[in-house]
Amino acid sequence: GDSVTQMEGPVTLSEEAFLTINCTYTATGYPSLFWYVQYPGEGLQLLLKATKADDKGSNKGFEATYRKETTSFHLEKGSVQVSDSAVYFCALSGFLYNQGGKLIFGQGTELSVKP
Amino acid sequence: EAQVTQNPRYLITVTGKKLTVTCSQNMNHEYMSWYRQDPGLGLRQIYYSMNVEVTDKGDVPEGYKVSRKEKRNFPLILESPSPNQTSLYFCASSLRPSSYEQYFGPGTRLTVT
């Protein structure tokens, strides 16, 4: 079945460092891809998304490109801040008619940014 | 303010004592869903609903029930909770499933002893 694999955490970076969180997926058809972020004690919120191959999603300095040839959707940010400390989830949307339109999540990557 | 609300936020209960976690959204969304989050497993879907009176099982439905009598509400029912249902639960809604953004509630942390 469809699945998402993302790099293990925790990831610890210094402020202003470059961030990459790897995400690869297995899916039938053409899913939409998402990055969600979960700040401590809160629910998940959408960070960015891409709905077709070669689309680039971007928000708050974060970017990710939908790469169908490598089945990847890596998250990047050029200069992280302490406020970016959170857990990041890569997800894909299942097909409506055989997967109930659910989001299929990776296991999450915890990011800690030190001043 | 557009939001998904869940109650309670924290709950400690004992094995076998029926409980309900409420979920409500104010965005007139058709699609609603329940997930549980467990360490190392990410989030897994429990049940979902395409619209009023239309519900179906997700990946981990055992031990749970849901109902969708009104568009805005989607309660999660544990008729006989067991310790393996100790988890963090999230309700989510979206205008439509698949490519649309899903909005998540703040979560309910449930402990079953």
Side-chain angles (χ1 to χ4, degrees):
Chain A
D2 294 2
S3 65
V4 174
T5 302
Q6 56 182 107
M7 64 186 284
E8 302 242 351
V11 173
T12 303
L13 296 174
S14 297
E15 208 164 21
E16 299 185 1
F18 184 86
L19 168 71
T20 300
I21 301 178
N22 290 336
C23 171
T24 57
Y25 68 90
T26 302
T28 53
Y30 304 96
S32 295
L33 300 175
F34 305 83
W35 277 100
Y36 279 82
V37 58
Q38 183 180 30
Y39 298 103
E42 298 183 12
L44 281 74
Q45 53 186 276
L46 180 68
L47 182 58
L48 53 84
K49 74 174 188 180
T51 58
K52 61 183 188 295
D54 300 324
D55 265 4
K56 177 186 282 189
S58 61
N59 186 26
K60 300 181 181 179
F62 291 89
E63 293 183 341
T65 301
Y66 189 163
R67 301 283 188 201
K68 190 162 178 60
E69 64 277 11
T70 54
T71 62
S72 65
F73 193 54
H74 305 320
L75 182 68
E76 296 182 336
K77 186 175 186 183
S79 175
V80 294
Q81 306 299 313
V82 172
S83 57
D84 293 327
S85 298
V87 180
Y88 293 82
F89 290 93
C90 184
L92 66 82
S93 62
F95 270 134
L96 175 63
Y97 296 107
N98 66 354
Q99 297 195 51
K102 68 185 174 190
L103 288 171
I104 298 168
F105 288 89
Q107 69 270 39
T109 301
E110 182 179 359
L111 170 67
S112 178
V113 181
K114 306 297 185 188
Chain B
E1 179 191 353
Q3 60 181 350
V4 178
T5 57
Q6 292 178 231
N7 282 291
R9 293 289 311 277
Y10 302 91
L11 179 60
I12 300 173
T13 190
V14 297
T15 299
K17 186 176 181 182
K18 181 178 178 179
L19 65 92
T20 299
V21 183
T22 65
C23 172
S24 183
Q25 50 92 4
N26 63 0
M27 295 167 278
N28 202 35
H29 285 168
E30 289 188 357
Y31 182 83
M32 297 186 75
S33 183
W34 276 102
Y35 295 86
R36 62 177 287 173
Q37 182 181 13
D38 300 291
L41 297 177
L43 282 81
R44 295 174 292 167
Q45 191 186 54
I46 303 170
Y47 268 94
Y48 65 93
S49 170
M50 296 291 189
N51 213 325
V52 176
E53 302 291 3
V54 182
T55 64
D56 208 345
K57 297 176 181 178
D59 290 327
V60 288
E62 294 78 19
Y64 304 95
K65 286 176 58 177
V66 293
S67 67
R68 187 97 180 268
K69 293 184 169 51
E70 306 166 279
K71 198 171 189 178
R72 63 183 293 129
N73 296 325
F74 190 46
L76 179 69
I77 303 157
L78 286 72
E79 298 224 321
S80 184
S82 62
N84 65 11
Q85 293 178 297
T86 293
S87 188
L88 180 57
Y89 292 86
F90 289 101
C91 181
S93 74
S94 67
L95 188 61
R96 304 277 191 279
S98 297
S99 64
Y100 288 80
E101 173 183 0
Q102 292 199 22
Y103 293 80
F104 284 79
T108 295
R109 184 166 292 283
L110 172 65
T111 302
V112 184
T113 61

